Amino acid sequence: MRAALIAALAAAAAPLARAAENIVTTKVRGIGYLGCQVMLQQLKFGDVNETADYFAARQASKYWMTSAVYCLDTYCKNNFEENYAQFNSNMYIYGPGPINPDPQVYRDMTNYSDIRKIDVQSKRVQAIIWNQTVIGTQLNFDNAYRTQLDFPLTEVYDHAFGWGLYVLLGAIVLVGMVNRVLGYFSHRAQAADPEDAYAAVAADDASIGARLNTWYRKHIGTPAAFGYRHNQSVGWGWLSVPTRVQAIGVFVYVALNFIFTFAAYDTFTDNLFYPGRRDMQLWRYVADRTGIMSFWNLPLLWAFAGRNDILIWLTGWSYSGCNLFHRWVARVATIQAIIHSAAYTWFEIQQEGTMADMFAEQYWATGVFATVTMSLLIPLSFKPIRAKVYEVFLILHIVLAAATLVLLFYHVKVMEGTYDAWLWACVGIWAFDRLVRYIRIGALSYKAFLGKKNTVARLSGSLDDGSLVRLTVQSSIKTKPAPGAYYFLYTPRSLTPWENHPFTLASSEDTAEGTQLNFLFAPQAGATRKIAKRIAAAGSSSTEMTVLVEGPYGQVHPVGSYEHVLLVAGGSGITSVLPYVYQLARAPRHPRKVTLVWAVRNATYASDVLSHELAPANTAGIDVHVHVSREDGATASDVIDRLPGHIASLDDTSSDTAGDKDKDAALVSKEAGKNGATLRVHSGRAVMRALVDYHAAQLLGAERLAILACGPGAMLDDIRAAVADAYGTEEGKVRGDAIRYYEDAFGW
Ligand SMILES: Cc1cc2nc3c(=O)[nH]c(=O)nc-3n(C[C@H](O)[C@H](O)[C@H](O)COP(=O)(O)OP(=O)(O)OC[C@H]3O[C@@H](n4cnc5c(N)ncnc54)[C@H](O)[C@@H]3O)c2cc1C
Ligand SMILES: *[C@@H]1O[C@H](CO)[C@@H](O)[C@H](O)[C@H]1NC(C)=O
Ligand SMILES: *[C@@H]1O[C@H](CO)[C@@H](O)[C@H](O)[C@H]1NC(C)=O
Ligand SMILES: *[C@@H]1O[C@H](CO)[C@@H](O)[C@H](O)[C@H]1NC(C)=O
Ligand SMILES: *[C@@H]1O[C@H](CO)[C@@H](O)[C@H](O)[C@H]1NC(C)=O
């Protein structure tokens, strides 16, 4: 089986290798003269002045010149004219001037009865000083030719493999685009009439396509690559695990790089440059290959890093998904750079080079420093550093990345522009992203540049009591953001005007001047806390300030085309869910059943949002469940006590029957009852698995359920695992197309 596989691979590889070799041989027709030159390079001649310039001395030597022309006559006779012309131009470029354009002149100098046929690869022969015309054996010539040919041949592979990565990326992007277009049409079709879902009895449940889809969603599309953690990090907080689809993409990419790094080298013992040293040949080629592959990878590295990115626009991938690939490309390109540097260093040491000699060369020193800056970027981007000192991480990241690019420009200066294009591609991608950022800021906030305060910031309670900050930003032009959109906010009148943080748009309203963008955030330790402090310092509950907005980013999840929608939020993740709540409550024909489950620990926070953003007037037709988890010792009644009476008051009957009024207070406000909104506040944790199973069991016929979640990592991972488990073809499990899980995490 394995032998057959290898044979098949070899059979497939052979024509490719032959094709490559054909390209090379056509490209280097007339390279035969180099074979002759390499052979003569091994020998000493009595009339060569070794203290003079290499080519000048050989051009002046009768024995060397007659031997060279005789070699061309013997081994390159099929292609003599071209070879002689190449030989001449080579001597002209490197020597003091052209040789005689007429080879006959050298033939006339040759004593044909006094030519020695010798083995130029023999150490004994190489020690002799020759005073006559000599010729190596056919085997010598073949070896010398192969020695020379291997450089252009390997270079063809180097570049072919480099482009191979782009072909891979192109294929992945194409799949992403097709997926996106298909998804769009299928949602449009389904959105047309949810009622039809009942009619379409699940007749084709057993079809191969449906089964495949179920299998795909259960085993590939949904779960984490291994174990159950995806949003939570593993390995003491240092690593994150991709989903399985992402892992497949990463695996293919890494495997391809690995194969490309070590494939298709021709090393042989009789190589004339490194006789008997196949290791030196190999590492010399690997050094070139890894250097080139690393360069080819750089534009990919940048392409996966930008906020404004053609890749994202084409495929609709999430920024966090692209960020995952950004990290993997970075790891691969850095390892390649390290191998490139190490292999060249080892190679130079084999040739008795010293460190001082090496560092004296600009390309060498800049190359080493570029490898160092690239290598530093990896540990400095580990998750704990990003979590603890995000701004420090970001500044170092930008500085080191820019330094790497500059150093690399100097590193490849000796290649006279051959490799500059890859660096310019990185510069271009970077500049494009920045430019679009400024255009976005300019469009949305240009009036703020004119010194106008465009933002009202409110703090609901006091600093540090779990209170929320609400920002209402007046945009300079009208904008129509879709649910799920997020913006980066800058505070230009602060000590760090460049600092910007992403926030999901909770809601928006058109005004005469533009659009009012409403953000809601829970202050953390950094910039968000500074804003909260600023409001608190203003003495009242609100203050005016200037905020620049950059956006919108992110993608809409088409939850509205499902018959059932389950929105799950944890803590401040509620902001991400709010736009969907408004969309679904407002939609003329909203899905049959929409449930919002919000797990929150802080009673202040919960009641604040419930009396404003989630007030019954905003949640028509939606079942709202709030779970007050007990970590902070808060209970359902703590939340209800803080709510205004018209929204809710403790329902005594329910608490009486429960015996303990804090256990599970069920409440429906008078106002809420009118428009069909219900609100229940529970004490204790919401169990994600039970929630998913309960809603999956509600599905009838061909009905489908969309689950959208935003919250802490553990909560998201629980839902993801529960959804994967819910799929199946057995009794009690659901079809692959019956549940769709969408996730918005506050981080990457
Ligand atoms: C797409 C997206 C949407 C978000 N929407 C909201 C929202 O609507 N409401 C809300 O309360 N929070 C939201 N967040 C989280 C919010 O961006 C962070 O809480 C905020 O950046 C923390 O700022 P800080 O300086 O106070 O952070 P710190 O206290 O320094 O750090 C807190 C955490 O935030 C992370 N963080 C800090 N700066 C950034 C940044 N620029 N980009 C990404 N992560 C960062 C850190 O790694 C750390 O884990 C969202 C995050 C993302 C990625
Ligand atoms: C050899 O070349 C050197 C340097 O060009 C020159 O000084 C010297 O005279 C030459 N020797 C002979 C024997 O021509
Ligand atoms: C050519 O070589 C032969 C054999 O070494 C020698 O006898 C003869 O003199 C040489 N002829 C010339 C013109 O040098
Ligand atoms: C060729 O001549 C040099 C002196 O010019 C001499 O040292 C050498 O031994 C000669 N080579 C042979 C093979 O006779
Ligand atoms: C909310 O959280 C803050 C800080 O985390 C705490 O001081 C406050 O007591 C909490 N409030 C309630 C009601 O749990």
Side-chain angles (χ1 to χ4, degrees):
M1 175 64 196
R2 222 171 65 192
L5 199 69
I6 291 171
L9 277 177
L16 283 178
R18 259 201 310 280
E21 201 154 347
N22 276 339
I23 296 174
V24 175
T25 16
T26 11
K27 201 169 130 185
V28 297
R29 247 157 41 107
I31 206 179
Y33 80 93
L34 278 172
C36 290
Q37 228 172 274
V38 169
M39 284 206 289
L40 292 178
Q41 206 181 331
Q42 315 297 314
L43 303 175
K44 298 190 186 76
F45 289 92
D47 64 347
V48 167
N49 179 356
E50 289 298 352
T51 51
D53 173 72
Y54 185 90
F55 281 97
R58 274 149 190 82
Q59 228 170 301
S61 154
K62 176 181 158 196
Y63 300 137
W64 196 89
M65 280 304 300
T66 53
S67 297
V69 173
Y70 188 58
C71 178
L72 290 174
D73 274 333
T74 312
Y75 296 124
C76 307
K77 47 179 172 294
N78 296 335
N79 218 347
F80 181 85
E81 297 301 327
E82 201 171 344
N83 270 292
Y84 190 78
Q86 292 268 359
F87 176 52
N88 191 3
S89 84
N90 194 45
M91 290 304 261
Y92 178 65
I93 293 167
Y94 296 104
I99 55 170
N100 198 310
D102 182 7
Q104 196 55 41
V105 173
Y106 300 101
R107 288 177 188 136
D108 291 345
M109 286 159 66
T110 310
N111 183 347
Y112 284 95
S113 56
D114 191 25
I115 294 179
R116 275 288 283 278
K117 188 153 197 165
I118 53 174
D119 175 8
V120 303
Q121 291 182 267
S122 130
K123 284 268 174 311
R124 196 184 52 79
V125 167
Q126 289 171 358
I128 296 171
I129 298 171
W130 296 98
N131 300 312
Q132 68 189 111
T133 306
V134 296
I135 179 92
T137 63
Q138 177 76 45
L139 183 65
N140 289 156
F141 175 78
D142 292 344
N143 285 335
Y145 182 69
R146 185 171 165 194
T147 300
Q148 262 303 330
L149 190 67
D150 277 345
F151 282 95
L153 185 65
T154 314
E155 201 186 25
V156 167
Y157 279 114
D158 293 348
H159 291 190
F161 289 161
W163 288 112
L165 294 179
Y166 294 152
V167 172
L168 170 74
L169 179 76
I172 295 179
V173 167
L174 202 67
V175 170
M177 280 168 67
V178 168
N179 206 1
R180 191 174 193 200
V181 171
L182 288 183
Y184 176 74
F185 282 115
S186 79
H187 281 297
R188 267 180 57 130
Q190 279 150 5
D193 194 355
E195 290 291 340
D196 291 347
Y198 280 116
V201 180
D204 64 350
D205 260 14
S207 76
I208 302 266
R211 280 170 168 270
L212 259 179
N213 186 33
T214 303
W215 182 88
Y216 171 81
R217 292 243 165 267
K218 185 177 183 70
H219 296 288
I220 309 285
T222 314
F226 49 84
Y228 111 102
R229 285 161 190 260
H230 167 57
N231 282 289
Q232 300 166 85
S233 46
V234 296
W236 299 280
W238 288 78
L239 302 168
S240 46
V241 179
T243 66
R244 248 171 232 174
V245 218
Q246 291 172 332
I248 291 171
V250 168
F251 177 81
V252 170
Y253 167 77
V254 174
L256 218 55
N257 269 278
F258 186 81
I259 294 168
F260 287 174
T261 300
F262 294 106
Y265 299 117
D266 179 34
T267 66
F268 63 110
T269 316
D270 287 336
N271 185 298
L272 270 74
F273 290 161
Y274 318 112
R277 293 295 304 270
R278 293 180 68 174
D279 55 345
M280 282 178 75
Q281 299 163 40
L282 176 70
W283 287 108
R284 172 62 216 273
Y285 298 141
V286 170
D288 278 349
R289 175 75 53 82
T290 45
I292 289 171
M293 299 276 294
S294 187
F295 250 68
W296 253 256
N297 270 319
L298 290 178
L300 298 185
L301 187 53
W302 261 267
F304 280 118
R307 283 179 196 170
N308 296 286
D309 202 306
I310 293 166
L311 280 186
I312 295 183
W313 294 339
L314 287 178
T315 58
W317 288 333
S318 67
Y319 181 79
S320 61
C322 285
N323 207 257
L324 173 95
F325 281 101
H326 168 71
R327 294 200 291 270
W328 276 101
V329 176
R331 286 165 197 158
V332 168
T334 305
I335 290 172
Q336 284 164 341
I338 292 172
I339 297 178
H340 172 74
S341 306
Y344 260 126
T345 306
W346 176 86
F347 183 83
E348 288 295 321
I349 291 170
Q350 298 305 304
Q351 296 196 319
E352 265 124 45
T354 66
M355 283 295 164
D357 291 344
M358 297 180 215
F359 275 98
E361 302 281 354
Q362 186 189 58
Y363 78 87
W364 192 281
T366 50
V368 169
F369 288 128
T371 303
V372 170
T373 49
M374 275 178 93
S375 307
L376 280 176
L377 277 163
I378 304 275
L380 285 175
S381 309
F382 273 120
K383 218 170 179 177
I385 296 185
R386 278 183 286 146
K388 292 229 170 59
V389 279
Y390 190 88
E391 289 309 310
V392 176
F393 148 78
L394 195 62
I395 291 169
L396 280 177
H397 208 75
I398 292 171
V399 168
L400 287 174
T404 305
L405 276 188
V406 172
L407 286 166
L408 286 180
F409 267 113
Y410 283 103
H411 178 57
V412 295
K413 223 167 133 182
V414 284
M415 309 300 288
E416 289 165 344
T418 316
Y419 292 101
D420 285 1
W422 280 263
L423 299 175
W424 284 116
C426 301
V427 173
I429 294 168
W430 206 351
F432 175 77
D433 178 35
R434 295 281 152 173
L435 181 70
V436 179
R437 287 189 194 187
Y438 300 136
I439 293 174
R440 286 181 188 274
I441 296 174
L444 286 179
S445 337
Y446 71 87
K447 285 181 188 159
F449 285 116
L450 311 173
K452 205 168 164 254
K453 289 196 169 158
N454 63 345
T455 302
V456 180
R458 292 186 200 84
L459 185 66
S460 52
S462 59
L463 197 61
D464 291 327
D465 71 344
S467 291
L468 290 168
V469 173
R470 288 184 172 81
L471 288 187
T472 301
V473 186
Q474 180 70 48
S475 73
S476 305
I477 54 168
K478 275 209 169 56
T479 166
K480 260 207 127 18
Y486 60 89
Y487 292 78
F488 289 86
L489 304 190
Y490 300 70
T491 44
R493 305 251 180 91
S494 67
L495 288 176
T496 51
W498 61 84
E499 208 178 310
N500 57 97
H501 294 269
F503 298 99
T504 311
L505 184 73
S507 61
S508 65
E509 290 143 53
D510 281 344
T511 63
E513 275 179 82
T515 304
Q516 229 178 4
L517 304 173
N518 301 316
F519 299 95
L520 183 65
F521 62 81
Q524 306 282 321
T528 48
R529 192 178 144 79
K530 275 190 217 138
I531 295 180
K533 264 176 142 167
R534 205 158 131 181
I535 307 166
S540 67
S541 65
S542 79
T543 182
E544 292 204 328
M545 57 194 288
T546 307
V547 169
L548 304 182
V549 277
E550 176 201 327
Y553 295 103
Q555 60 270 104
V556 200
H557 304 303
V559 293
S561 63
Y562 290 76
E563 293 78 42
H564 294 238
V565 181
L566 172 61
L567 304 168
V568 188
S572 55
I574 189 68
T575 24
S576 212
V577 170
L578 284 175
Y580 292 98
V581 168
Y582 300 150
Q583 185 195 40
L584 296 174
R586 225 186 288 132
R589 174 172 43 198
H590 58 74
R592 184 150 277 99
K593 195 161 164 33
V594 182
T595 310
L596 165 65
V597 175
W598 183 24
V600 58
R601 20 166 113 175
N602 198 292
T604 317
Y605 190 138
S607 54
D608 190 353
V609 173
L610 284 174
S611 23
H612 297 97
E613 284 78 9
L614 282 180
N618 295 330
T619 59
I622 297 179
D623 280 338
V624 180
H625 291 263
V626 177
H627 291 259
V628 189
S629 49
R630 293 180 190 267
E631 285 97 333
D632 289 355
T635 63
S637 46
D638 290 334
V639 174
I640 294 152
D641 287 344
R642 285 177 168 79
L643 291 176
H646 72 279
I647 289 185
S649 57
L650 215 49
D651 181 338
D652 288 330
T653 42
S654 76
S655 52
D656 279 350
T657 44
D660 171 8
K661 68 172 185 166
D662 285 341
K663 208 163 183 192
D664 185 354
L667 294 133
V668 185
S669 76
K670 288 156 259 153
E671 187 185 317
K674 265 186 269 165
N675 63 6
T678 63
L679 168 65
R680 286 192 170 75
V681 187
H682 314 263
S683 293
R685 282 177 84 98
V687 179
M688 292 304 137
R689 185 166 292 267
L691 196 62
V692 170
D693 288 347
Y694 174 79
H695 284 271
Q698 306 280 304
L699 296 175
L700 293 174
E703 283 185 331
R704 295 162 319 125
L705 163 70
I707 303 178
L708 173 81
C710 180
M715 179 180 195
L716 299 179
D717 287 346
D718 280 349
I719 302 178
R720 185 176 285 280
V723 171
D725 282 346
Y727 291 128
T729 44
E730 306 92 328
E731 188 60 35
K733 301 275 178 185
V734 300
R735 303 175 319 272
D737 67 342
I739 304 188
R740 188 63 197 267
Y741 176 50
Y742 299 103
E743 188 174 88
D744 276 326
F746 275 174
W748 28 69

